[in-house]
Amino acid sequence: MKISYVYHLDAGRSSVQSGRPNSILRGLRSAGAEVQEVFPLEHRFHTLRWAHKLFWHSRGKHYLIDRHPGLLRDFARQIEEQLRHEAGDVIFSPSTLPLAYLRTDLPVTFCADACFGAMLNYYDAYSRLSAAQTRFAEEAEARALARATLAVYPSQWAASAAIRHYGIAADRVAVIPFGANFGGDNREADVAQWIEQRDTRKLRLLFVGREWERKGGDLVAEAARQLVASGLDVQLDIVGIEVPARWRRHEFIRGHGLLSYSNPVGLARLRKLFSEATLLFVPSRAEAYGMVYCEANAFGLPAIATATGGITEIIRDGVNGYGLPMEAGAEDYARVIISAVENEDRYRALALSSYREFKQRLNWDVYSERYLSVLREKVVAPAAPTSAAPKPLRIAYISIQSADDINTWSGLNRNIANCLRQQGAHVEMVGPLAHGPRIFWSKVRAFCRQLVTRRRELWTRDERLMRYYAAEAARRLAKLDCDLIFSPGTEPITYLPAEISKPVVFWTDAPFGAMSDYYPWYSGLSDRCIREGQSSDTKALHRAALGIYSSD
């Protein structure tokens, strides 16, 4: 599937929109989609947009500078011009703004944390808008939703708001949770170690946000003050904003200012704060989604939040944190925090459960795979069936040992061949290729090298033997008419001659690099053996049209 990724900002930068567009871009490619970059778009009408903002500001009104009519129409024209030269199977955007006035025959999809109607008078920036801008923004988004084949939201709260507000059909809306833009590369062993090292007797609370009031900053500071007053050892780390003057005199509060993912020093400090914290404490007053909670879970860090907006579908009480009702006060949060950490074993179980939530549903790999699955199901229609029966696939099956021997490779050779036949393929066996004298001399060479190097040698990776396999396979393939060549393993196909033009597919349980120093008989290898093993695997991967492994 080829996707034309449309966005008015630069989705290639991890600093744009908290990293969400970039995370989706990388996730789609990682999931196997071909992506055409139709971003960033040129932002024009600067003077006019700022003049409008200053005018409405002087009248006590907010103005959304990215929703100027001329700008959105110009975005559409720029996209249309690029799509004339090249276009994918489907258009995707992480925003409705570039799509509002787009004219195209291609299917259009987008994702957003919430629709304009849900944000109106919910976020402060979406309150006190002029009637004229509210009307235009509503009309523009309604056009985008009417044009879209599929709208994806990260929560049922947001999806229901779009269906209710704009009257779009429920079958054109999907709910897929967003992932963590930060911490997604954490290793499970590291997370387990961080959780084990946390001392619940020293309570470290972490607040992350750039809007003190909206994120519930005063609630956080007051709850922390009450915990200190009760005799607990508490430290409150505040990231993203300067500590307000009224709270600076408190010794238990430490301000870190804005720490950026794109700055190596800032990133290192963030990782340290997230890994050492006991709880993320961000009781937002308004939140369409809140990816910081996903990021906390990526560090095995439970979150204390408010049950509002999309947060209710990120935080599951007792599973990866707790969400209190909007009317909860500082004393309520203090009680929940004490309850979460008073039993050390129960806290560690909650922390491990939080990490599992990240792994199972709050990461971008899961998001991208689910998104592409929904896209194939609802948007990219399968080809119409033809009346003629499909011609059976003709597979040349290369096997070093006999594929009819149930004892060869634990029976895998035989079972794979039988499964291919059961699926209707016509399987021609090219093998066995094993040759007693050649294998004997490969073992002799490996033994002699071991005597010299005092390191293990793998006779199965002997280049001369693999070249023999390839030559023998090529000789037999010349007599066959096949659609593709298949091998259970890389050794027989590594050195296949380039003149063999049929697609080559292999299946194996793991690449050489994964097994090196993992299995005992792949440990202590000589430098030459490691070099040739990695080189042969690389050649096989470049030679093959498709490499299949038995696990992620």
Side-chain angles (χ1 to χ4, degrees):
M1 185 187 302
K2 183 176 180 180
I3 298 174
S4 295
Y5 190 119
V6 168
Y7 196 38
H8 54 293
L9 303 174
D10 188 354
R13 294 174 55 200
S14 60
S15 58
V16 170
Q17 294 289 303
S18 302
R20 176 172 62 91
N22 181 254
S23 294
I24 296 173
L25 175 66
R26 289 186 289 108
L28 290 173
R29 283 179 168 151
S30 178
E34 180 185 354
V35 181
Q36 173 198 4
E37 296 182 2
V38 188
F39 62 78
L41 305 176
E42 188 177 348
H43 288 232
R44 298 164 182 160
F45 306 96
H46 295 286
T47 304
L48 196 54
R49 287 189 290 140
W50 279 103
H52 281 208
K53 188 173 182 69
L54 290 171
F55 171 77
W56 287 112
H57 183 73
S58 68
R59 300 178 68 112
K61 298 285 188 181
H62 285 153
Y63 181 79
L64 301 175
I65 202 166
D66 60 358
R67 279 171 170 75
H68 184 273
L71 181 69
L72 298 190
R73 291 187 173 93
D74 190 56
F75 283 163
R77 284 194 291 271
Q78 292 180 57
I79 296 165
E80 289 164 12
E81 181 60 31
Q82 290 195 52
L83 294 180
R84 285 192 193 99
H85 302 289
E86 180 186 359
D89 304 304
V90 63
I91 294 170
F92 165 80
S93 177
S95 168
T96 59
L97 297 181
L99 307 176
Y101 293 91
L102 184 63
R103 295 171 298 182
T104 178
D105 293 328
L106 292 172
V108 173
T109 76
F110 72 87
C111 74
D113 51 5
C115 66
F116 179 83
M119 309 277 255
L120 193 60
N121 298 319
Y122 182 61
Y123 279 96
D124 182 62
Y126 285 76
S127 63
R128 294 188 290 113
L129 297 174
S130 71
Q133 190 178 45
T134 300
R135 184 173 59 254
F136 172 75
E138 293 268 26
E139 290 173 355
E141 186 155 87
R143 288 175 63 97
L145 284 164
R147 180 67 189 83
T149 313
L150 177 67
V152 179
Y153 295 99
S155 69
Q156 191 59 54
W157 171 83
S160 298
I163 293 168
R164 182 174 61 252
H165 197 79
Y166 293 103
I168 59 175
D171 63 354
R172 290 172 46 220
V173 179
V175 176
I176 308 174
F178 287 155
N181 294 321
F182 162 63
D185 57 348
N186 289 340
R187 297 188 309 167
E188 189 168 350
D190 291 336
V191 176
Q193 185 177 12
W194 295 333
I195 293 171
E196 189 61 33
Q197 289 174 346
R198 291 173 192 160
D199 185 355
T200 53
R201 293 168 299 179
K202 180 176 175 59
L203 189 56
R204 293 195 61 170
L205 302 176
L206 178 61
F207 172 90
V208 180
R210 300 186 67 177
E211 299 175 62
W212 181 259
E213 299 298 334
R214 182 172 71 82
K215 296 286 185 177
D218 283 332
L219 267 176
V220 170
E222 176 57 26
R225 189 196 65 76
Q226 292 185 18
L227 291 167
V228 171
S230 70
L232 292 177
D233 185 355
V234 178
Q235 178 178 305
L236 172 60
D237 291 293
I238 296 176
V239 175
I241 192 170
E242 292 299 321
V243 179
R246 62 185 176 277
W247 292 107
R248 286 177 196 160
R249 63 183 176 83
H250 294 280
E251 293 183 359
F252 63 86
I253 296 179
R254 293 199 320 176
H256 301 270
L258 180 62
L259 300 178
S260 172
Y261 302 153
S262 57
N263 180 297
V265 176
L267 180 62
R269 288 179 64 188
L270 272 174
R271 292 188 68 86
K272 184 175 175 62
L273 287 166
F274 271 81
S275 61
E276 294 180 352
T278 315
L279 296 166
L280 177 78
F281 187 11
V282 185
S284 289
R285 307 290 84 195
E287 200 75 74
Y289 189 69
M291 283 176 285
V292 70
Y293 307 108
C294 307
E295 291 160 355
N297 282 183
F299 285 81
L301 185 60
I304 307 297
T306 307
T308 182
I311 300 175
T312 56
E313 291 159 72
I314 304 173
I315 304 300
R316 300 198 288 180
D317 281 352
V319 178
N320 59 338
Y322 296 94
L324 277 66
M326 183 66 72
E327 61 271 17
E331 62 281 1
D332 299 308
Y333 283 102
R335 278 196 298 271
V336 168
I337 289 169
I338 291 172
S339 175
V341 300
E342 62 184 353
N343 182 294
E344 187 173 313
D345 290 339
R346 194 166 63 236
Y347 167 77
R348 298 200 194 290
L350 178 66
L352 288 169
S353 176
S354 298
Y355 181 67
R356 283 195 296 271
E357 286 291 285
F358 158 73
K359 290 289 288 182
Q360 291 170 7
R361 67 185 184 93
L362 301 177
N363 69 79
W364 288 113
D365 287 340
V366 171
Y367 178 92
S368 301
E369 288 167 5
R370 287 185 59 189
Y371 185 85
L372 289 175
S373 176
V374 173
L375 211 57
R376 293 186 184 100
E377 178 188 341
K378 294 191 174 186
V379 179
V380 182
T386 58
S387 55
K391 185 180 178 183
L393 192 65
R394 295 166 301 175
I395 300 175
Y397 191 114
I398 300 179
S399 176
I400 295 174
Q401 290 87 20
S402 172
D404 293 324
D405 185 355
I406 192 63
N407 297 311
T408 299
W409 202 7
S410 305
L412 284 171
N413 270 357
R414 179 174 173 179
N415 283 306
I416 292 171
N418 287 343
C419 284
L420 291 172
R421 292 187 182 105
Q422 288 167 13
Q423 293 299 314
H426 179 68
V427 179
E428 286 281 354
M429 304 310 299
V430 180
L433 303 177
H435 186 270
R438 292 183 182 274
I439 290 175
F440 171 78
W441 286 113
S442 292
K443 290 181 177 180
V444 169
R445 281 192 292 273
F447 178 74
C448 293
R449 289 189 185 115
Q450 283 185 185
L451 291 177
V452 174
T453 64
R454 302 292 182 182
R455 307 285 288 178
R456 189 186 300 275
E457 297 282 342
L458 298 175
W459 66 267
T460 55
R461 294 282 176 166
D462 182 8
E463 182 178 331
R464 286 190 228 180
L465 183 62
M466 288 193 289
R467 287 190 181 278
Y468 162 74
Y469 289 153
E472 181 63 15
R475 184 181 66 79
R476 301 191 194 186
L477 286 168
K479 303 174 184 178
L480 298 178
D481 181 18
C482 65
D483 298 308
L484 67 85
I485 297 162
F486 174 82
S487 170
T490 59
E491 290 93 335
I493 56 94
T494 299
Y495 294 101
L496 276 180
E499 56 266 25
I500 296 178
S501 59
K502 299 298 182 182
V504 176
V505 178
F506 71 81
W507 177 93
T508 187
D509 48 2
F512 179 87
M515 294 191 288
S516 183
D517 289 326
Y518 182 65
Y519 281 105
W521 53 91
Y522 273 82
S523 300
L525 300 177
S526 71
D527 291 342
R528 186 206 64 82
C529 186
I530 292 172
R531 186 170 58 253
E532 289 193 357
Q534 291 176 339
S535 174
S536 65
D537 244 25
T538 301
K539 286 183 172 68
L541 281 161
H542 284 293
R543 182 66 179 85
L546 177 66
I548 303 172
Y549 296 95
S550 57
S551 69
D552 284 334

